[in-house]
Amino acid sequence: MGSSVKKKKEKKKDFQKTKLKVGKARPKALNVTDTSFKSKSIVLNQQSLTTTAPSTFSQFSHHLSLLTHRAESQRRDSLSFLASVIAGSAANSSLPQPVSIILPRIFPLILDGSNSVRAQLIKLLRLLSAGEVEDHVDQLLLYIRAGMTHLAADVRVTAIELLDWLLEVSGQETVSCAGGWVKTLKCFLAVLGWQNGDGAVKWSGSRASFGKAGSEGKALVKNLTVLASFLRVGLLSAVEDTEENLPTTFPIWNAHDHTLPKHSNGFTHLNLFGAPRDAESEMYEDRQERQRVFHTSFQKSIDRGLEAAKKEGGEVGRAAAAVVKAVTEGLNTYGTDT
């Protein structure tokens, strides 16, 4: 009898509701987990267990591979490391990686959506000399033209800044490379909104100045300023090619025409082994040829656009006047050169 009463009490105890008292902790369940223990972690100050630090070559190659990382902070930091290595290298010393490998990796970052990444990219490119850039101008112009017509206003501003820098360091290569003259001029017309088949110039939302409030005039002034620089480089004769600087005494008359090319691809303009080029992709190394193409294909559209731009006055009008001056001086000798 005693055992059966005890079993009944135990079963009844499972269904009894405990009365809670004020100030008294609730009793813990039977299956509660004890969390009073403390966890400890081991922190390593370095990831590699070797005592020797990685070489500059391996670090440089590693950061080159991180330029396509999904995190913008990592891309920015990698560009900063590459820039520090390039800035710290001596003038006559070679870089850990050749420029022909570095530049194709960093060119796509011109279209990067992060402002900090593009700003760091400009700093890196400005560290390179003209001789290191001039052989890759045609590749760089592909991304610059894509950036000039980009939907994001900040990317367009970056592309225009890079074109301005490229004209300073390698101006002649910029206007004389394949597609450098015609395609870039067409890109300027598209950016400025000066392409109209009816012959009338109307400002539209397609011009490069649309974007953030307050930045409209600045973008237009910058575009016109770089256009003036581009036309001066392409239409005016270079200083080193003027007759005053060339030897004219016998027997070395026109000796510069018979010397070896200054570039490794001195016969690229002949396009001996490449695909056939159209008029847009043609190389116009001769100033007279650039003047002819500009006069026949672009001068009317640009003149009409400049007339409309000068009516706005202010900084835009002054920038348009600079373009007019560049066109006038550039075509001053058109048709008279022999």
Side-chain angles (χ1 to χ4, degrees):
M1 292 294 293
S3 61
S4 61
V5 174
K6 184 177 180 181
K7 289 182 179 178
K8 290 181 179 179
K9 288 183 179 180
E10 290 179 354
K11 291 181 179 180
K12 188 178 181 179
K13 185 178 180 181
D14 295 337
F15 298 97
Q16 287 181 352
K17 186 177 181 181
T18 57
K19 296 182 179 180
L20 301 178
K21 296 182 180 180
V22 178
K24 188 175 181 181
R26 187 175 182 176
K28 296 181 179 181
L30 297 176
N31 60 347
V32 68
T33 303
D34 186 13
T35 59
S36 60
F37 61 89
K38 294 182 179 181
S39 62
K40 294 183 179 181
S41 60
I42 300 176
V43 179
L44 299 178
N45 294 329
Q46 57 184 7
Q47 295 182 356
S48 177
L49 298 179
T50 59
T51 57
T52 58
S55 63
T56 306
F57 175 81
S58 61
Q59 287 183 332
F60 199 90
S61 303
H62 175 65
H63 282 281
L64 271 179
S65 64
L66 292 178
L67 293 179
T68 56
H69 197 274
R70 63 178 182 177
E72 62 181 49
S73 59
Q74 182 61 65
R75 298 195 300 270
R76 182 196 61 226
D77 295 342
S78 296
L79 284 173
S80 178
F81 175 83
L82 298 178
S84 63
V85 174
I86 295 174
S89 60
N92 297 326
S93 62
S94 60
L95 297 175
Q97 289 280 6
V99 181
S100 60
I101 295 179
I102 299 174
L103 293 182
R105 296 285 188 91
I106 65 177
F107 284 164
L109 296 179
I110 297 175
L111 308 177
D112 196 278
S114 173
N115 294 335
S116 59
V117 173
R118 296 194 310 274
Q120 192 63 46
L121 173 64
I122 294 177
K123 293 180 181 179
L124 188 150
L125 289 175
R126 290 185 180 275
L127 295 174
L128 301 176
S129 62
E132 295 172 331
V133 177
E134 61 186 10
D135 291 335
H136 307 275
V137 169
D138 54 345
Q139 301 177 18
L140 179 56
L141 276 178
L142 292 176
Y143 291 96
I144 289 180
R145 288 194 294 262
M148 290 173 62
T149 56
H150 201 274
L151 293 177
D154 295 335
V155 177
R156 295 196 299 269
V157 172
T158 301
I160 284 293
E161 291 180 359
L162 286 176
L163 180 58
D164 191 16
W165 162 78
L166 189 61
L167 290 172
E168 294 178 1
V169 297
S170 301
Q172 289 300 319
E173 288 76 12
T174 302
V175 298
S176 62
C177 69
W181 183 243
V182 176
K183 287 186 177 180
T184 308
L185 282 176
K186 285 189 175 183
C187 188
F188 268 113
L189 292 180
V191 166
L192 295 170
W194 290 354
Q195 289 180 333
N196 291 294
D198 56 355
V201 175
K202 298 178 181 179
W203 292 122
S204 61
S206 61
R207 65 174 180 171
S209 56
F210 75 92
K212 295 182 179 179
S215 62
E216 181 174 351
K218 293 182 179 180
L220 181 57
V221 170
K222 185 64 176 178
N223 291 331
L224 292 174
T225 303
V226 178
L227 175 60
S229 302
F230 183 78
L231 293 177
R232 280 194 296 267
V233 174
L235 298 178
L236 296 177
S237 59
V239 177
E240 59 269 15
D241 293 339
T242 55
E243 295 182 357
E244 292 78 4
N245 297 329
L246 298 177
T248 57
T249 58
F250 182 81
I252 54 174
W253 290 339
N254 301 327
H256 61 284
D257 293 333
H258 307 283
T259 56
L260 293 175
K262 298 180 180 179
H263 310 292
S264 59
N265 53 351
F267 300 98
T268 308
H269 62 282
L270 299 178
N271 195 25
L272 298 175
F273 306 103
R277 298 192 185 124
D278 53 4
E280 293 185 1
S281 303
E282 192 61 42
M283 297 179 65
Y284 296 98
E285 294 187 324
D286 189 26
R287 178 172 61 94
Q288 286 78 15
E289 286 294 318
R290 293 195 294 267
Q291 289 176 337
R292 179 186 60 81
V293 172
F294 177 81
H295 176 70
T296 56
S297 303
F298 300 100
Q299 187 175 6
K300 291 183 180 180
S301 299
I302 289 181
D303 287 344
R304 290 194 300 263
L306 291 175
E307 289 297 327
K310 287 191 295 184
K311 293 180 181 178
E312 294 194 9
E315 294 184 359
V316 176
R318 289 190 292 270
V323 180
V324 172
K325 182 179 178 182
V327 172
T328 304
E329 294 178 353
L331 296 179
N332 189 26
T333 59
Y334 175 66
T336 61
D337 294 338
T338 57

